Amino acid sequence: MSDETAATTKGLPFRVVVLSGPSGSGKTTIVERLLGDERLPLRKSVSATTRPPRVGEMDGDNYYFLTAEEFERRRRQGEFVECAEVHGAGYWYGTLKSEVERAREEGRWAFLEIDVDGALEVMREHPEALTFFVTASSQEEYERRLRARGTESDEHIRRRLETARRELARAGHYRHRIVNDDLDRAVREITDILSRELER
Ligand code: 5GP
């Protein structure tokens, strides 16, 4: 029996939900809205990363912040569903199997906000996963939003834009592509798809 057909403790079929999109696509706000919607049985998977915490980020809340050695140890022990080096900045990110299992145990759906490399790995392991790729209205709009954040250096921005171009090219692997030119509409589109899945 595959992961997806086993029922959760609440009788729902278990689902893995994956959302990706370039930074600046507005996905963070979408994710907050989705996780805040009590009608949806989503449980956020807290990723592990080797990147240092940003101001205000909490270990175990935003991420599990691990040293490169600890990350590698866990990777070798097979503790990750997927992991990837994101942005070519030398930092690793990964979804812990324990996070997916915790969602299932709680009777909820594991919600993964991860990059495209990771998402493709998850799709191989969980072919029934509900996958969403979010884009801003255009590459120009995306660049504007990224710069407006003002938290990153030019070099960092350049690398992120490069990653975004590569990610966009692979958006076709996702079941659903969501254009975030109107936040409410984008959230509603995803919510509707998830709600239909709940009723199945
Ligand atoms: P940030 O460093 O800005 O928090 O995240 C950078 C990127 O890492 C985001 O695009 C996010 O989707 C990706 N990411 C976060 N967690 C994971 C994970 O567990 N696995 C993978 N593959 N990517 C992740």
Side-chain angles (χ1 to χ4, degrees), residues 39-52:
R39 293 166 303 175
L40 301 172
L42 303 175
R43 183 192 185 279
K44 174 183 145 151
S45 157
V46 178
S47 296
T49 184
T50 61
R51 117 159 136 59

Side-chain angles (χ1 to χ4, degrees), residues 16-37:
V16 173
V17 180
V18 177
L19 188 142
S20 307
S23 48
S25 60
K27 81 182 156 174
T28 308
T29 315
I30 292 180
V31 168
E32 278 168 11
R33 292 264 202 109
L34 294 172
L35 291 174
D37 185 340

Side-chain angles (χ1 to χ4, degrees), residues 13 21 25-26 32 37 44 47 61 81 83 86 88 134 136-137 151 156 168:
S25 60
E32 278 168 11
D37 185 340
K44 174 183 145 151
S47 296
D61 187 1
V81 181
C83 65
V86 178
V134 176
S137 46
T151 53
H156 218 105
L168 269 175

Side-chain angles (χ1 to χ4, degrees), residues 19-23 27-28 45-49 51-52 54 57 62-63 65 71 80 82-87 91-96 112-119 121-122 149 152 156 160 163 167:
L19 188 142
S20 307
S23 48
K27 81 182 156 174
T28 308
S45 157
V46 178
S47 296
T49 184
R51 117 159 136 59
R54 297 191 184 119
E57 285 185 333
N62 303 89
Y63 285 102
F65 295 101
F71 194 100
F80 289 107
E82 60 77 30
C83 65
E85 189 187 357
V86 178
H87 307 316
Y91 295 132
W92 283 79
Y93 295 77
T95 305
L96 292 159
L112 281 51
E113 194 251 288
I114 61 177
D115 86 324
V116 177
D117 288 324
E121 254 187 83
V122 171
R149 279 209 315 218
E152 260 103 358
H156 218 105
R160 283 189 175 227
T163 304
E167 290 199 337

Side-chain angles (χ1 to χ4, degrees), residues 142-159:
Y142 164 58
E143 189 162 349
R144 195 193 61 72
R145 287 193 208 181
L146 194 55
R147 293 193 191 282
R149 279 209 315 218
T151 53
E152 260 103 358
S153 67
D154 278 357
E155 170 58 15
H156 218 105
I157 288 175
R158 194 192 58 71
R159 258 195 260 123

